[in-house]
Amino acid sequence: MKKAKYVFVTGGVTSSLGKGIIAASLAKLLQARGYSSTIQKFDPYINVDPGTMNPYEHGECYVTNDGAETDLDLGHYERFLNIPTSQANNVTTGRIYQTVIDNEREGKYLGKTVQVIPHITDEIKRRMLLLGESGEYDVIITELGGTVGDIESLPYVEAVRQLRWELGTDDTCVIHLTLVPYLKAAGELKTKPTQHSVKGLQELGVQPDILVCRTEHKLTPEIRKKVALFCNVNRNAVIESIDVESIYEVPLVMLKEKLDKVTLAKLRLSAKNEPDLDKWKDFLFKLSHPKAEVNIGLVGKYVELQDAYKSISEAFNHAGSVNECNVNVVSIQSESLSEENIEDRIGQLDGVLVAPGFGDRGIEGKIDTIKYLRENNIPFFGICLGMQCAVIEYGRNVLGLKNAHSVEMNPKTKFPVIDLMEGQKKIKNKGGTMRLGAYACDIEKGSLASKVYGKNAIQERHRHRYEFNNDYLDQYKKSGMVMSGINPDNNLVEIIELPNHPFFIGVQFHPELKSTVDNPHPLFVKFVRAALDKSKEA
Ligand code: GLN
């Protein structure tokens, strides 16, 4: 039974400084030194989870094994640490208020006025301590979303202040991530935004122990001294976080800056074990020294936003490293594709991934793309909606089911080859009601899927409402499509493939969510390999 210590990571000056990556890097270093660590993210918005937000608002929605729809930073945590997260690792203001209001209705605070302090802050604290109570972890890292100074972050900072007082300073550590901008005209790095941001925290009663300074230029010893002096931290606790090419370099940069050692010293934990990062370094070396390159199209409707397909692009990085090749992901807006321009737009690619998604926009572009890939022997990988589009394309163009469609896009279609799942038919509420999380899938022996996975029973994560309509199963099978993955409990088709093609596979689940540095996902690894073979043909 371990007694957990708590690290809080706050952010100042601006958003997008990479708090999630810093938190994940620190956890990686602690793990590499033999400490068990996990990360949780507290987000100050009122949605109960990010599942109801458009990817343009919030980037990708990451799904855990236990079916929680969460912030994409949890994806970084899993990719770095190679341990699964759960519902408990992501909490929002919406969830906190929902619990407090439910408690109030149940009469748990009977007689009292229910207020932000103490009721909301107590609920925040309860959840901050929850993972530590399992006795599994030495260090729990809690990332606070938002920026210090935001109105909505106030109860979280107050909860941290109270916890430091309750747990004592030896068991807690506050890391504040700030920006040290470079003013080109003055030729200088500026520390004032950092000073103001720390002052903002101090006014709320929280003195940070460590400052991680995001910067485009190296911090001089004078700058470090100045930041330390004016922000009231030790000089060795001013950590430089300089821009790097790849997020996977950050743990090594933080190791060099001793973020882990300073944190451990603050928590009165020993840093005697040297971190074992051999596997990580090997991954990074291969990632940055590719021997070949492949061009893979990513056809989707949210491609303008980098974060919308975060796990997919990271899974390509993992697979690229294994194959020692640079995966150049070419983003293609599916709305811009039509039968007339398909050849020009995708004819030269070594493979195409058709992305997950919702709704009608850009759907015909995806279907036209798949037809072209199928007929021209170009590797195809469809995820969720991408797999559903492959079923629609095959229905229309091979089976002659005119205008076959998914009921999601055309509720009146004569050939509903993709239909609403039975269990979804009575559901009215949108939040948290999809088929979510890990489910089993049995794989047909001898299939492409079984070669890819090297086993015949898998578990993958899901996030969908529609499925292959089994009324059409015989028709598809007879004409050559192989339904190679089936859920053993309800016969839902999980994987489809075409045998007489170099690589044509569609999956109803989201393999990208399980790809990590230590365990690159086999579907991505083999898809990149197929693209590599294709590139050599030319
Ligand atoms: N919109 C489709 C469904 O709900 C696919 C979802 C997805 O791609 N994640 O079934």
Side-chain angles (χ1 to χ4, degrees):
M1 185 82 179
K2 290 172 169 161
K3 180 174 173 286
K5 303 212 175 203
Y6 294 86
V7 175
F8 299 96
V9 181
T10 61
V13 186
T14 169
S15 58
S16 304
L17 290 181
K19 265 189 310 235
I21 300 293
I22 292 295
S25 298
L26 174 61
K28 181 77 216 168
L29 294 177
L30 298 181
Q31 187 189 55
R33 284 185 186 274
Y35 288 104
S36 59
S37 176
T38 189
I39 317 181
Q40 51 187 359
K41 170 117 195 240
F42 283 63
D43 273 315
Y45 49 74
I46 295 172
N47 302 62
V48 171
D49 60 46
T52 51
M53 277 187 243
N54 187 312
Y56 287 127
E57 290 278 318
H58 194 262
E60 163 191 283
C61 174
Y62 188 79
V63 180
T64 57
N65 277 337
D66 65 347
E69 296 178 284
T70 72
D71 185 81
L72 58 78
D73 273 341
L74 268 76
H76 291 309
Y77 307 161
E78 289 204 14
R79 286 187 282 273
F80 275 50
L81 298 180
N82 199 36
I83 52 171
T85 54
S86 69
Q87 179 68 74
N89 296 75
N90 193 195
V91 176
T92 69
T93 293
R95 199 170 287 277
I96 301 274
Y97 270 78
Q98 195 180 47
T99 309
V100 171
I101 292 170
D102 286 349
N103 285 346
E104 187 273 335
R105 290 291 83 184
E106 273 179 41
K108 286 202 178 135
Y109 315 114
L110 221 49
K112 294 279 180 224
T113 308
V114 181
Q115 294 180 296
V116 173
I117 297 170
H119 300 96
I120 294 297
T121 45
D122 279 353
E123 178 59 18
I124 294 175
K125 285 193 293 178
R126 188 184 71 80
R127 290 188 183 253
M128 280 177 169
L129 297 176
L130 216 53
L131 283 170
E133 283 163 8
S134 67
E136 262 179 77
Y137 300 107
D138 298 303
V139 182
I140 309 278
I141 300 175
T142 302
E143 178 193 347
L144 297 190
T147 307
V148 168
D150 296 346
I151 291 176
E152 55 190 20
S153 300
L154 286 173
Y156 293 96
V157 179
E158 169 60 12
V160 170
R161 187 196 67 75
Q162 291 184 20
L163 274 182
R164 294 205 91 184
W165 187 83
E166 286 166 10
L167 300 174
T169 47
D170 286 357
D171 285 349
T172 57
C173 173
V174 174
I175 299 177
H176 188 57
L177 177 61
T178 83
L179 178 70
V180 177
Y182 180 75
L183 284 196
K184 216 163 147 197
E188 269 181 55
L189 284 168
K190 290 293 179 190
T191 64
K192 195 72 84 188
T194 296
Q195 294 180 44
H196 278 297
S197 159
V198 170
K199 201 165 274 171
L201 257 185
Q202 288 167 337
E203 275 168 17
L204 299 172
V206 174
Q207 168 64 51
D209 302 296
I210 298 173
L211 297 176
V212 175
C213 303
R214 186 71 193 270
T215 174
E216 289 172 6
H217 294 266
K218 287 200 83 51
L219 300 182
T220 60
E222 294 74 41
I223 292 275
R224 288 185 193 248
K225 191 176 155 198
K226 190 171 169 188
V227 170
L229 178 66
F230 290 118
C231 299
N232 222 11
V233 299
N234 288 338
R235 221 176 311 166
N236 72 350
V238 178
I239 305 285
E240 171 189 284
S241 171
I242 200 147
D243 290 1
V244 282
E245 283 276 307
S246 156
I247 54 169
Y248 299 104
E249 287 174 46
V250 179
L252 302 181
V253 174
M254 289 301 113
L255 179 68
K256 222 161 135 203
E257 283 287 305
K258 303 192 172 68
L259 174 63
D260 55 336
K261 274 194 167 165
V262 179
T263 306
L264 288 170
K266 173 71 199 48
L267 295 174
R268 306 276 185 267
L269 291 171
S270 136
K272 59 180 190 299
N273 295 338
E274 277 313 300
D276 175 6
L277 289 161
D278 289 352
K279 213 169 164 189
W280 190 271
K281 286 181 186 162
D282 181 52
F283 160 80
L284 197 56
F285 182 83
K286 287 190 185 143
L287 186 70
S288 48
H289 296 83
K291 294 182 179 148
E293 180 168 79
V294 288
N295 293 306
I296 292 186
L298 171 63
V299 174
K301 73 172 187 180
Y302 308 110
V303 288
E304 300 82 0
L305 187 83
Q306 245 188 357
D307 279 353
Y309 302 111
K310 193 83 204 158
S311 294
I312 290 178
S313 41
E314 296 309 335
F316 275 131
N317 279 329
H318 308 156
S321 172
V322 175
N323 286 293
E324 296 184 68
C325 91
N326 180 35
V327 180
N328 178 30
V329 177
V330 183
S331 297
I332 302 171
Q333 169 57 259
S334 51
E335 244 182 329
S336 71
L337 293 171
S338 63
E339 256 177 313
E340 293 73 54
N341 66 17
I342 281 283
E343 172 115 48
D344 280 355
R345 300 288 304 279
I346 66 169
Q348 298 309 311
L349 295 170
D350 305 314
V352 175
L353 187 150
V354 177
F358 295 84
D360 197 34
R361 186 165 68 88
I363 196 85
E364 293 303 323
K366 290 184 173 175
I367 296 169
D368 292 341
T369 300
I370 297 169
K371 177 171 189 273
Y372 186 88
L373 300 171
R374 180 175 57 76
E375 291 175 344
N376 292 279
N377 289 326
I378 299 174
F380 160 72
F381 183 11
I383 297 184
C384 208
L385 182 61
M387 171 263 194
Q388 297 176 355
C389 287
V391 169
I392 296 166
E393 189 279 319
Y394 199 80
R396 287 183 188 177
N397 301 320
V398 179
L399 303 180
L401 306 173
K402 201 162 173 264
N403 296 329
H405 222 319
S406 163
V407 172
E408 179 182 5
M409 320 303 162
N410 177 6
K412 297 208 178 85
T413 175
K414 205 167 148 207
F415 302 109
V417 292
I418 303 292
D419 200 1
L420 191 61
M421 278 182 279
E422 203 45 49
Q424 289 285 327
K425 291 189 175 156
K426 287 199 191 80
I427 289 174
K428 292 266 179 313
N429 281 356
K430 293 282 183 237
T433 55
M434 280 188 248
R435 179 173 181 249
L436 291 165
Y439 288 96
C441 168
D442 287 347
I443 295 182
E444 189 170 302
K445 289 204 182 87
S447 63
L448 172 63
S450 113
K451 278 184 215 123
V452 165
Y453 279 94
K455 55 183 173 185
N456 295 314
I458 57 164
Q459 289 262 343
E460 291 281 6
R461 299 184 197 171
H462 298 72
R463 183 172 188 249
H464 65 124
R465 292 188 201 279
Y466 297 84
E467 63 173 337
F468 178 81
N469 182 346
N470 275 333
D471 290 351
Y472 292 90
L473 195 61
D474 287 343
Q475 221 174 327
Y476 274 77
K477 275 181 159 173
K478 263 191 209 131
S479 83
M481 186 170 265
V482 176
M483 306 324 199
S484 57
I486 303 286
N487 177 290
D489 303 314
N490 60 9
N491 288 331
L492 188 145
V493 172
E494 297 275 12
I495 310 178
I496 60 131
E497 56 187 76
L498 289 178
N500 298 316
H501 190 283
F503 192 99
F504 190 103
I505 197 159
V507 295
Q508 184 58 78
F509 47 79
H510 291 264
E512 72 276 20
L513 303 175
K514 281 179 76 173
S515 189
T516 69
V517 168
D518 278 358
N519 259 330
H521 198 287
L523 274 167
F524 279 85
V525 172
K526 300 290 168 30
F527 175 53
V528 168
R529 193 158 302 156
L532 204 51
D533 292 343
K534 169 83 190 158
S535 75
K536 286 179 189 151
E537 265 173 33

